[in-house]
Amino acid sequence: MKIIIITGPTGSGKSRLSNLLFRNLNNAFVLGTDNYYKTGFISNLLSNFINAYFDKPISFNKKLFNKDIKNIVETRKTSYFLKYDFILKKRIKIFKDISNIDYLIVEGIFALEIMKLIEENDYILIKMQTNKTLCKERACRRDVIERGKTQKKALHDFINAWQIYKRQEEIYKLKEIKDLLYIKKPSDIKKILKKLTTNTY
């Protein structure tokens, strides 16, 4: 199994790229970290009081995420996938048997969380390299339409999210990672497919 990790700031095109890869690779499965937000009373309460809650690791259910990653890597299959509803603040479990997974695509602002977990596996790290203005436009439009935020709230959250992600880049020292591929836009998918098929990582 080959693992493809897609990271980048909010609004950089991670989800779009993961969907393009899914459609262009045989036996691929996408695991989005956005679907692993914590749920329940305490989490809902914290999201109302902690600034940029959904962009901080405190909101991420790392234990559940690692459990699912480990199972997929070991068995190359899964019997379900998760979907997080930002309006209801609930995680939905959708049962579907998926087997013979050859490409595991992990995307989201918390994708770097699995680096230590899969360091001995065959993986490639893709960093979305887009400008701040474009990310802001995408993220704010998405948050207003899909997540029920006001324009003012969406802009406020984007500014915080951008700063938080940049700090994460420094913590994980991305520039020092050997198997790192920079992508400016999702349509550069051919560059990724070529790297995957030639096994040059």
Side-chain angles (χ1 to χ4, degrees):
M1 176 188 290
K2 295 180 180 178
I3 302 173
I4 305 163
I5 305 171
I6 305 174
T7 186
T10 184
S12 58
K14 299 181 295 296
S15 295
R16 186 183 170 202
L17 176 60
S18 67
N19 289 331
L20 285 172
L21 285 171
F22 176 77
R23 291 198 293 267
N24 282 273
L25 292 170
N26 293 323
N27 300 322
F29 180 71
V30 178
L31 209 58
T33 64
D34 281 0
N35 297 315
Y36 284 82
Y37 284 115
K38 292 177 181 176
T39 58
F41 175 77
I42 294 178
S43 181
N44 291 341
L45 184 66
L46 291 176
S47 68
N48 291 320
F49 290 97
I50 295 180
N51 194 28
Y53 173 77
F54 288 107
D55 296 295
K56 295 178 178 177
I58 189 176
S59 69
F60 182 57
N61 193 328
K62 187 175 181 178
K63 183 177 180 180
L64 177 60
F65 183 69
N66 286 351
K67 173 179 170 289
D68 285 353
I69 282 280
K70 185 177 180 182
N71 176 66
I72 293 171
V73 170
E74 290 179 351
T75 66
R76 293 179 57 225
K77 63 182 181 180
T78 183
S79 59
Y80 68 88
F81 61 89
L82 303 175
K83 185 71 177 176
Y84 186 84
D85 188 316
F86 280 88
I87 304 297
L88 300 176
K89 294 182 180 177
K90 289 184 178 180
R91 193 172 54 240
I92 303 167
K93 194 171 188 178
I94 302 171
F95 291 95
K96 183 177 181 180
D97 288 325
I98 302 168
S99 57
N100 300 317
I101 300 172
D102 292 326
Y103 296 94
L104 175 59
I105 304 166
V106 181
E107 65 89 13
I109 58 172
F110 300 119
L112 295 175
E113 294 286 336
I114 74 163
M115 291 300 293
K116 291 183 179 180
L117 191 69
I118 55 89
E119 58 187 356
E120 295 182 0
N121 295 87
D122 193 9
Y123 78 91
I124 178 175
L125 176 62
I126 298 170
K127 165 71 168 62
M128 301 302 296
Q129 198 173 36
T130 54
N131 65 70
K132 188 175 182 179
T133 300
L134 183 58
C135 288
K136 179 180 69 176
E137 292 173 355
R138 288 173 176 168
C140 288
R141 183 169 59 248
R142 175 203 63 200
D143 285 0
V144 169
I145 296 173
E146 299 178 14
R147 302 182 181 181
K149 296 181 182 180
T150 63
Q151 189 66 40
K152 183 178 180 180
K153 173 67 172 171
L155 179 58
H156 177 267
D157 287 351
F158 170 78
I159 293 171
N160 285 315
W162 181 272
Q163 295 172 343
I164 291 169
Y165 179 78
K166 288 302 178 180
R167 287 198 294 270
Q168 286 296 102
E169 277 191 349
E170 295 176 2
I171 291 172
Y172 284 95
K173 300 179 181 179
L174 294 191
K175 293 181 180 179
E176 298 179 11
I177 295 177
K178 180 180 64 175
D179 301 313
L180 178 61
L181 181 64
Y182 287 98
I183 295 296
K184 291 185 177 180
K185 53 186 183 298
S187 57
D188 290 339
I189 185 175
K190 289 182 180 179
K191 185 177 179 181
I192 303 171
L193 295 175
K194 181 179 180 181
K195 194 172 183 68
L196 287 170
T197 55
T198 55
N199 295 314
T200 57
Y201 64 96

